[in-house]
Amino acid sequence: MNFTVQQLQAEKITADAVVVLVPQSEESFWDGSAELKKLAEAAGPLLTSGDFTGARDTSAVAYTSWKKLPRIILVGYGETGQVSLEKLRRAGALAIQRAAGLKCKTLAVVQPTIAGFTPAELAQAISEGLALGVYSYDKHISQKPNGGSPSPDKVTLLGLDADQVKGMKVGVATGKAVSDGVILARDLANAPSNEIDPQTLAARAKELSSVGIKVTVLSKAQIQKLGMGGLLAVSQGGPMPPSFIIMEWHGGARGEQPIVFVGKGVTFDSGGISIKPGAGMADMKLDMGGAAAVIGAIQSIATLKLKRNVIGLVAATENMPSGTAFKPGDVIKHLNGKTSEIDNTDAEGRLILADALTYADRYKPQAVIDLATLTGACLVALGNVASGLMGNNPELNNRIRQAGDRTYDRVVELPLWEEYEELIKSDVADVKNSGGRGAGTITAALFLKTFIGNYPWAHIDIAGTGMTSRPSGYINKGGTGAGVRLLVDLVQNWSNL
Ligand code: BES
Ligand code: MN
Ligand code: ZN
């Protein structure tokens, strides 16, 4: 989506529709500016009827007699005193959905001034809602939805005065960079496994060199030489070789320790020999949501030229059953020399993350954050609403929680108490890859903890948030890009740990 920002001059708008974001029960709103007043008059009876209240998640359309501007779409964001950036993201999404439904091709959006928020913050939230609100993965559908009418791709945000316009330009640039990262993550996740496999995922990551990211891909031979036993074991059931993707953004001072992101990139998770039931197995093309989030976030971070050093690591593989597949009972040796007993081949994500987390130590990172669609238990506990957060550093966890609250890419912390460690003790190896049904999200994280280096570490389980069957607001069906907005915000607000 392309954005421009201008100052509102009602009679100069040329668009299929103009959206006005309207507060609830605030009659003086339309008197706030002479230009707004003109739009109110053009909207005529819809406004004078009082039927449209400005309640959040509501909208209404008025038809004008103006040639250059046939429609005014009113979108409510609720009581002024209770505004949040999330309500504005949702308002942006509803606006673009209404405009798309009316087959509008060009759109203008009037951004209100709201006490307590800067024009930049508001513009970022609104542009994220606009850009993400009409996402759908339809590249393989010949007869495009919405009668083949593409949603508006060029949007003009209108500010009430010159000062506001100045701030909005900054916010829109951020909102666009962040949304493009989310959309990249959604596209990568939603692509079927016959399109995105460990090699093609690496090829897509390599395209990030266009924004100044250095990308290195380790081949199977290099992975063998290093001794990434977890990644090799998981990949050995299928014909596709694994890949290990390294993305480097050097935006910070030379020598400043990097922040490292690690993503689970299982391009298809059949469960392996511990095979999953058929129903719903297709969703497991989305089991690289962690990898997608890392790739999307690092693209946004580079586009925004954030002044930090950030490394993205992705372990990519399929998990397939076959005569060459790894099996329950196998013992494998990981990159840090520790061994794990395979209790269940469907607990594969932690095996590949183990090697990646050890690899991360090479960078002497100031923090390592891994993202993974790791456990069905996390989906059961938190649904699609929040990701599970676990880690070894309370300050890092706090920052992640705050970034999650700001972006509404939310996380809830679960404890890593030592009592849970009992569940993954093995009789034949250093650790067992499954702890049974109870506390499945926590035991998975404790398994990972066995393989971290000497750094502050956090693990974000996005099994529930990374994919959904129920679209809502700017969150679409399928791969959602969860984690991207959180990671970008975290780096934007970073100060050394
Ligand atoms: N990729 C799955 C977890 C998952 C399930 C993500 C549903 C999203 C939706 C993971 O590899 C897995 O299969 N985990 C097992 C672990 C168990 C065998 C210990 C699980 O959650 O059942
Ligand atoms: Mn699995
Ligand atoms: Zn998996």
Side-chain angles (χ1 to χ4, degrees):
M1 188 169 284
N2 283 306
F3 293 102
T4 45
V5 182
Q6 279 168 21
Q7 192 170 329
L8 170 63
Q9 287 179 282
E11 279 128 347
K12 290 221 169 124
I13 306 173
T14 305
D16 293 330
V18 64
V19 172
V20 185
L21 303 175
V22 185
Q24 188 168 5
S25 45
E26 198 179 298
E27 260 124 58
S28 60
F29 170 75
W30 296 95
D31 303 324
S33 107
E35 298 300 317
L36 262 184
K37 232 178 189 157
K38 290 180 194 164
L39 289 180
E41 275 156 29
L46 172 63
L47 276 183
T48 46
S49 73
D51 287 358
F52 179 76
T53 62
R56 72 192 183 108
D57 296 333
T58 68
S59 64
V61 183
Y63 292 87
T64 73
S65 53
W66 297 5
K67 276 235 157 50
K68 292 188 313 190
L69 185 64
R71 302 173 189 85
I72 300 181
I73 304 176
L74 306 180
V75 174
Y77 58 83
E79 304 279 352
T80 309
Q82 287 162 32
V83 182
S84 65
L85 294 177
E86 178 62 6
K87 287 180 187 168
L88 288 156
R89 284 183 207 104
R90 289 182 65 95
L94 181 54
I96 198 83
Q97 287 157 6
R98 283 306 301 257
L102 294 165
K103 299 194 169 25
C104 297
K105 298 207 163 39
T106 51
L107 189 67
V109 179
V110 180
Q111 173 173 317
T113 50
I114 303 175
F117 296 92
T118 66
E121 282 174 326
L122 297 173
Q124 183 185 339
I126 294 165
S127 56
E128 285 175 3
L130 290 165
L132 299 176
V134 276
Y135 176 87
S136 80
Y137 185 73
D138 56 16
K139 67 180 272 204
H140 296 298
I141 303 174
S142 326
Q143 192 62 52
K144 298 287 184 239
N146 200 22
S149 173
S151 51
D153 192 46
K154 287 196 168 57
V155 177
T156 307
L157 254 69
L158 300 170
L160 299 182
D161 61 54
D163 250 16
Q164 197 187 350
V165 166
K166 210 169 142 208
M168 285 168 67
K169 285 189 174 160
V170 178
V172 161
T174 308
K176 177 172 166 54
V178 170
S179 303
D180 284 347
V182 174
I183 289 166
L184 172 60
R186 289 177 179 181
D187 280 341
L188 291 173
N190 286 319
S193 74
N194 60 345
E195 189 175 318
I196 287 291
D197 59 47
Q199 308 311 313
T200 52
L201 184 64
R204 293 293 298 274
K206 281 205 159 167
E207 291 173 12
L208 296 188
S209 61
S210 65
V211 286
I213 295 164
K214 184 181 165 208
V215 185
T216 314
V217 179
L218 304 186
S219 65
K220 181 176 173 187
Q222 290 167 300
I223 292 165
Q224 277 169 326
K225 201 160 166 226
L226 281 167
M228 292 184 160
L231 182 54
L232 288 166
V234 174
S235 72
Q236 79 192 35
M240 304 261 186
S243 69
F244 192 82
I245 308 165
I246 303 164
M247 294 157 282
E248 300 173 49
W249 167 246
H250 298 285
R254 201 176 244 283
E256 185 187 76
Q257 293 173 266
I259 306 160
V260 178
F261 300 150
V262 174
K264 169 180 172 180
V266 175
T267 56
F268 187 72
D269 180 14
S270 71
I273 296 296
S274 314
I275 197 161
K276 289 180 180 293
M281 199 198 271
D283 283 346
M284 286 300 113
K285 70 171 185 177
L286 299 165
D287 206 17
M288 25 64 72
V294 168
I295 295 170
I298 208 158
Q299 175 185 279
S300 302
I301 286 163
T303 306
L304 291 167
K305 301 203 184 329
L306 298 188
K307 291 188 169 43
R308 296 284 167 192
N309 296 327
V310 180
I311 310 281
L313 302 175
V314 166
T317 178
E318 290 196 321
N319 184 22
M320 297 296 284
S322 77
T324 62
F326 78 131
K327 302 177 286 294
D330 286 1
V331 174
I332 61 179
K333 190 174 195 157
H334 291 274
L335 183 58
N336 70 349
K338 288 196 177 154
T339 55
S340 63
E341 176 195 355
I342 306 308
D343 182 54
N344 189 320
T345 65
D346 199 9
E348 84 297 340
R350 64 199 74 183
L351 300 173
I352 70 172
L353 290 172
D355 293 332
L357 287 168
T358 301
Y359 192 87
D361 207 27
R362 296 185 167 215
Y363 296 96
K364 303 270 163 283
Q366 50 176 318
V368 176
I369 299 149
D370 77 75
L371 288 93
T373 49
L374 203 61
T375 65
C378 193
L379 169 64
V380 171
L382 305 174
N384 302 125
V385 175
S387 305
L389 169 70
M390 287 139 281
N392 66 358
N393 184 296
E395 167 62 16
L396 179 60
N397 281 359
N398 273 337
R399 286 188 194 181
I400 292 173
R401 186 171 336 95
Q402 285 161 8
D405 288 344
R406 280 192 294 266
T407 55
Y408 236 62
D409 201 348
R410 289 176 297 177
V411 300
V412 168
E413 194 176 341
L414 299 173
L416 294 183
W417 292 324
E418 62 181 17
E419 285 79 358
Y420 294 110
E421 284 170 14
E422 289 299 317
L423 301 170
I424 52 167
K425 285 212 166 120
S426 165
D427 294 333
V428 297
D430 296 330
V431 63
K432 191 168 68 171
N433 85 325
S434 155
R437 272 169 52 82
T441 303
I442 292 170
T443 53
L446 282 169
F447 179 94
L448 297 179
K449 194 164 172 250
T450 314
F451 298 92
I452 62 174
N454 182 28
Y455 48 67
W457 159 73
H459 159 63
I460 305 178
D461 193 330
I462 58 168
T465 49
M467 52 187 91
T468 180
S469 52
R470 287 184 318 128
S472 168
Y474 57 92
I475 304 294
N476 57 294
K477 216 163 122 173
T480 60
V484 172
R485 293 183 306 113
L486 181 150
L487 291 179
V488 177
D489 182 281
L490 183 74
V491 174
Q492 277 176 319
N493 292 290
W494 193 263
S495 56
N496 290 354
L497 266 174

